[in-house]
Amino acid sequence: MMISMPGRKTLLRFAAALTVLFIAAAPSAASAADEAPCNTAVELCDRTLDQVVLPGTHNSMSNEEYGWALPNQHFSIPTQLEMGVRAFLIDTFYGKPSDESGNLIENTDRAHSTGMFLCHTLCLIGSTPLIEELAKVKDFLAANPREVLVFVNEANITPADFASAVEESDLIEYVYEGSTDSYPTLEQMIASNQRVVMLSEGNTGDVPWYHNGYAGPLQETPYDFRRNEAGDVLTTQGGMNLLTDPATLDSTCRPHRGGSTGKLFLMNHWVNGTLDDSNPLMPDPEVAKVLNAKDVLANRARACEARRGKLPTIVAVDDFGDGDLLGAVDELNGVVRPDPDPDPEPIPDPQPIGPRVIILKKPKTVKVKAGRVAKFKITVANTGDRRAAKVKVCATAPKRLARKPRCVTVALAPGGKRTVKVKVPTRGRAKGRGAVKFTVHAPNGKPKARATLVVKAKKTRRR
């Protein structure tokens, strides 16, 4: 009995069927990628930015950690990032040192300033160098490649200067450059590495990635709850009642700046003033413990959804860490976190840490005439328990302004600190300003800092 062999077409059909079965059975690259979280949750990856609720902070830069007076927050922006905050309401100003120590900054105009600062109205009660803080945000994004952020800037500096700060901090490499009429998904923003949306409360000049928030992209609720809808002045408790009483929640969600058309929606949720009304300006953690409760935040967000047709994109609070902002945001996003391990592994005893070199303070801006040597002071400390025998401090400067500086090498005893001078020789025909980047080559890693170099043109003599 002869068995006929299948024809070529039959074999091709059979092979094609096997290929389809194999592809269907094998996990796709896309499905594997979907398992990676976006803003700490897999559920958020396929949602566009305007469909996601972000935990945010009001006057994010004003904080106890940096020693500000009248702080709105317990923690600095870098610490907030590590804890889970993803939206930041900031204020930017020009400033200059008020005394020779340089520890206090006073407000000034652009012409007399020595730099740009994060301040809340009055820089003397607290300030942080803008470029330095933005560089820390950049470092967080580099270490956490699947996080998406939003900034809203109450700008008292020019758009061009804010853009310069973003560029000098290297945060520019993560800035979103797309449309604010519609947004990509978080997964798409992560894939393109455009993960920071920059909004302003006003003019943004001709900076293409910097958007005037209340001129289209952003809508919000009112933010002064020491007054009711009729304009009557309230006590702190009266303002708290507005944000917690189901009967008044709808009125607190009425449109304010930006109307009601922006894709992004900011829910302002705080009341200024101490609980006993002794200081109407001082943020009070006791107030935040009530207003930041999970149910209070979630109930108001849903009331705003009912009135405005969408959940807030940003829920902004004072005194983040009091209450449960992250829990409320998870609930609004429909994200369910696994229960914590009831029997965690015991933390081992600390081991000797060896040399640990850190930079204690950001170097100050140096101004010199072209052709002169700029001298930057860098203070480094060894916080470890062993000697750091060879610590090398190196710098890089823009080639248009300076020649390559030489490194400085020091030794540090355990607990010791040293201030070293790094000399940056400027070019004879240089003019302008730029960032000098410092790297400390040490046993535990490479601590980094940056400072601004200002080179003034050399005056030419007339015959």
Side-chain angles (χ1 to χ4, degrees):
M1 178 179 175
M2 295 184 65
I3 300 175
S4 62
M5 295 296 292
R8 184 172 180 273
K9 290 185 178 180
T10 304
L11 286 173
L12 289 173
R13 291 193 192 102
F14 182 66
L18 284 177
T19 302
V20 170
L21 288 172
F22 177 77
I23 292 173
S28 68
S31 64
D34 290 345
E35 295 304 314
C38 303
N39 279 28
T40 76
V42 174
E43 297 93 325
L44 306 182
C45 290
D46 291 335
R47 301 183 197 175
T48 57
L49 178 64
D50 53 298
Q51 296 172 335
V52 175
V53 183
L54 302 174
T57 51
H58 164 236
N59 287 336
S60 309
M61 66 286 157
S62 171
N63 68 91
E64 294 173 27
E65 185 179 335
Y66 287 173
W68 287 38
L70 306 178
N72 289 87
Q73 305 297 334
H74 298 301
F75 311 106
S76 68
I77 289 175
T79 302
Q80 291 176 41
L81 281 166
E82 295 292 346
M83 295 174 70
V85 176
R86 295 295 177 263
F88 302 89
L89 313 186
I90 62 173
D91 299 4
T92 51
F93 289 85
Y94 296 110
K96 65 179 181 180
S98 64
D99 56 25
E100 292 183 358
S101 72
N103 293 327
L104 290 177
I105 299 296
E106 64 183 41
N107 299 61
T108 185
D109 57 21
R110 185 175 188 272
H112 298 92
S113 72
T114 59
M116 295 171 280
F117 296 86
L118 293 162
C119 308
H120 181 215
T121 307
L122 187 62
C123 291
L124 285 171
I125 66 173
S127 65
T128 304
L130 175 61
I131 295 172
E132 178 181 309
E133 202 73 349
L134 293 180
K136 294 177 182 178
V137 175
K138 175 259 180 186
D139 290 341
F140 172 84
L141 291 168
N144 298 270
R146 298 192 64 81
E147 302 303 311
V148 175
L149 313 179
V150 175
F151 280 83
V152 183
N153 182 19
E154 182 181 315
N156 296 280
I157 62 177
T158 67
D161 284 342
F162 182 70
S164 174
V166 173
E167 289 167 3
E168 285 194 43
S169 68
D170 293 334
L171 183 58
I172 187 67
E173 63 185 275
Y174 299 104
V175 168
Y176 173 71
E177 298 177 350
S179 170
T180 56
D181 295 328
S182 62
Y183 287 91
T185 65
L186 295 196
E187 184 68 62
Q188 289 169 333
M189 295 179 75
I190 289 166
S192 67
N193 212 24
Q194 295 187 12
R195 299 186 277 130
V196 183
V197 176
M198 287 292 187
L199 304 175
S200 172
E201 292 187 3
N203 176 38
T204 55
D206 57 1
V207 181
W209 47 260
Y210 192 31
H211 306 281
N212 187 337
Y214 297 123
L218 182 67
Q219 54 179 297
E220 68 164 2
T221 68
Y223 55 80
D224 181 7
F225 296 105
R226 295 297 297 256
R227 295 178 181 272
N228 60 18
E229 193 169 4
D232 303 319
V233 178
L234 305 175
T235 62
T236 300
Q237 186 62 58
M240 295 168 65
N241 291 342
L242 284 179
L243 298 179
T244 55
D245 186 346
T248 56
L249 291 183
D250 178 80
S251 70
T252 70
C253 295
R254 64 188 183 275
H256 194 52
R257 293 176 297 181
S260 57
T261 58
K263 280 286 186 180
L264 305 184
F265 175 24
L266 166 61
M267 186 178 92
N268 299 306
H269 191 88
W270 62 84
V271 174
N272 288 328
T274 52
L275 195 55
D276 62 3
D277 283 313
S278 59
N279 187 334
L281 301 177
M282 178 74 178
D284 190 342
E286 294 305 313
V287 174
K289 288 174 184 176
V290 175
L291 296 184
N292 297 356
K294 180 179 177 180
D295 289 347
V296 171
L297 289 166
N299 289 342
R300 182 166 177 242
R302 292 193 180 99
C304 289
E305 180 186 24
R307 175 158 185 168
R308 306 287 281 270
K310 65 184 281 106
L311 278 171
T313 315
I314 302 169
V315 177
V317 302
D318 273 343
D319 287 309
F320 166 70
D322 293 325
D324 190 8
L325 171 63
L326 299 182
V329 167
D330 275 349
E331 182 177 311
L332 295 169
N333 279 323
V335 171
V336 179
R337 306 283 179 181
D339 293 330
D341 187 351
D343 188 22
E345 292 282 337
I347 300 174
D349 294 332
Q351 300 297 315
I353 58 178
R356 281 185 56 189
V357 178
I358 62 171
I359 295 174
L360 288 181
K361 192 174 181 181
K362 177 184 181 290
K364 294 181 179 179
T365 296
V366 174
K367 298 180 180 180
V368 295
K369 291 183 179 179
R372 300 283 180 86
V373 175
K375 298 176 182 178
F376 291 88
K377 293 182 179 180
I378 308 283
T379 302
V380 291
N382 180 8
T383 61
D385 55 10
R386 297 178 190 172
R387 176 181 171 82
K390 191 175 181 181
V391 177
K392 187 184 293 186
V393 183
C394 299
T396 57
K399 292 181 179 179
R400 61 185 173 82
L401 297 179
R403 296 189 295 275
K404 186 177 181 181
R406 292 183 178 179
C407 299
V408 179
T409 302
V410 295
L412 290 170
K417 66 178 181 179
R418 291 278 300 275
T419 298
V420 300
K421 289 183 180 179
V422 179
K423 299 179 181 180
V424 179
T426 63
R427 298 185 183 276
R429 296 184 179 182
K431 180 183 177 181
R433 62 193 295 147
V436 179
K437 301 178 183 180
F438 300 91
T439 302
V440 179
H441 299 269
N444 68 313
K446 294 184 179 180
K448 296 181 180 180
R450 64 179 57 218
T452 301
L453 169 65
V454 179
V455 182
K456 299 179 181 179
K458 186 188 298 184
K459 292 183 179 179
T460 57
R461 295 182 181 180
R462 293 183 178 179
R463 292 183 179 180

